[in-house]
Amino acid sequence: MAEVTKHDDLAEFWARTKDFFNADPVFHTIPIAAVDRWLNHPDPDDEPPLLVTVTEDDVLVAAALRTPPWPLTLSGVPPQWAEAVADLLAGDVELPGVNGPRDSVEAFVVAWAARTGCGAREHMAMRLYVLKDLELPDIPGRARLATVDDIALLARWRAEFGVEATGQVRDEAAEEHAERSLRVSLEAGYGNLIWCHGDTPVSWAAANAPASGMARIGPVYTPPEHRRHGYGAAVTAACAAWARDNGAEHVVLYTDLANPTSNSIYQRIGFRPLVDSAEFVFTPAGG
């Protein structure tokens, strides 16, 4: 019989799940990067994470985590264990949504709706890509690492990215959160690469410091006035090169499948598709 457990201590959770996730650091890019950031570079404003494991005959068979404000991530929950995780959490926590491999996400959404009465809608269809042979595009300009002097600019770009990519509402709180997050990422040695045309910053790509041999790029943002010049491809390639130079064996990124332009651009610089993913958001029961 399966044992489903909610954990309160992130270090204890990671001790139990590290080998499970590290067996495939590309597939489990989100939980690995999240745990690395929370354990090694905590933010005083962090809310407690949500941590769940499933064991059967003393063997770990599934693990899920949520680091607020992000959704519950399910790369570690095969579809057959979605109901067990939903059983544990329903009536105990509120979830804004879930993300992960599509089969796992869809299984969990059905189980969650049945147990809570919540509605659900697909927010984004995504694809996980992994870098093979990097091709550096010939684009005018150069890449440089961001410094603390760039935080205000990148916080504004991060807020603009959120509005455009995910429909977030633009407000001062979002920019303040982005500034705190960027400051933490710079202190943690993340790669925030800015592409400059002359002295003008025109595009930005970020990658986490390599963890378990993996670095994930995102976000990638070019303001509208600087698009259609190849800057997004150039800064993404520069960020991928930075990740490899800093010890990443695997460099990955997610794309929005509704954006065929970005999907084609990333393939041209050497990224190859691995797995389709989805993000669903939950709506209140009776809403």
Side-chain angles (χ1 to χ4, degrees), residues 11-89:
E12 178 196 11
F13 171 82
W14 187 237
R16 294 190 181 197
T17 61
K18 182 178 181 179
D19 291 344
F20 176 82
F21 286 125
N22 283 346
D24 193 340
V26 171
F27 192 75
H28 298 300
T29 172
I30 292 179
I32 287 172
V35 171
D36 178 72
R37 205 281 289 168
W38 278 57
L39 283 180
N40 298 313
H41 309 285
D43 185 327
D45 295 316
D46 284 341
E47 297 179 37
L50 175 63
L51 311 164
V52 178
T53 59
V54 183
T55 57
E56 186 176 46
D57 298 328
D58 294 324
V59 176
L60 182 67
V61 293
L65 75 156
R66 177 181 179 238
T67 52
W70 309 111
L72 183 71
T73 186
L74 298 174
S75 73
V77 181
Q80 64 268 32
W81 298 111
E83 288 192 3
V85 176
D87 279 337
L88 176 72
L89 299 180

Side-chain angles (χ1 to χ4, degrees), residues 26-187:
V26 171
F27 192 75
H28 298 300
T29 172
I30 292 179
I32 287 172
V35 171
D36 178 72
R37 205 281 289 168
W38 278 57
L39 283 180
N40 298 313
H41 309 285
D43 185 327
D45 295 316
D46 284 341
E47 297 179 37
L50 175 63
L51 311 164
V52 178
T53 59
V54 183
T55 57
E56 186 176 46
D57 298 328
D58 294 324
V59 176
L60 182 67
V61 293
L65 75 156
R66 177 181 179 238
T67 52
W70 309 111
L72 183 71
T73 186
L74 298 174
S75 73
V77 181
Q80 64 268 32
W81 298 111
E83 288 192 3
V85 176
D87 279 337
L88 176 72
L89 299 180
D92 186 42
V93 300
E94 293 185 4
L95 293 177
V98 288
N99 63 30
R102 179 168 289 277
D103 55 355
S104 295
V105 166
E106 290 181 346
F108 185 89
V109 166
V110 170
W112 189 252
R115 286 155 178 77
T116 65
C118 288
R121 62 178 175 84
E122 184 168 339
H123 177 61
M124 187 179 296
M126 301 174 289
R127 181 164 290 158
L128 177 63
Y129 284 81
V130 61
L131 182 63
K132 297 301 184 181
D133 297 319
L134 179 61
E135 297 286 341
L136 297 174
D138 185 13
I139 302 297
R142 62 180 180 84
R144 66 170 177 82
L145 277 169
T147 70
V148 292
D149 294 333
D150 299 302
I151 286 179
L153 170 67
L154 297 187
R156 188 177 79 245
W157 282 1
R158 181 65 183 83
E160 292 172 359
F161 172 84
V163 171
E164 185 173 317
T166 65
Q168 296 174 6
V169 176
R170 177 76 178 272
D171 58 27
E172 289 186 9
E175 288 199 31
E176 290 175 1
H177 179 270
E179 286 198 16
R180 290 197 305 272
S181 178
L182 284 160
R183 197 172 298 277
V184 169
S185 76
L186 290 176
E187 293 172 354

Side-chain angles (χ1 to χ4, degrees), residues 157 195 197 200-203 222-232:
W157 282 1
W195 193 264
H197 187 224
T200 303
V202 294
S203 193
T222 304
E225 65 270 23
H226 297 306
R227 292 175 187 171
R228 303 183 186 277
H229 298 289
Y231 299 142

Side-chain angles (χ1 to χ4, degrees), residues 242-263:
W242 172 90
R244 283 189 166 174
D245 289 345
N246 282 271
E249 180 182 357
H250 311 288
V251 182
V252 303
L253 56 77
Y254 279 99
T255 64
D256 179 354
L257 285 177
N259 187 338
T261 300
S262 63
N263 282 269

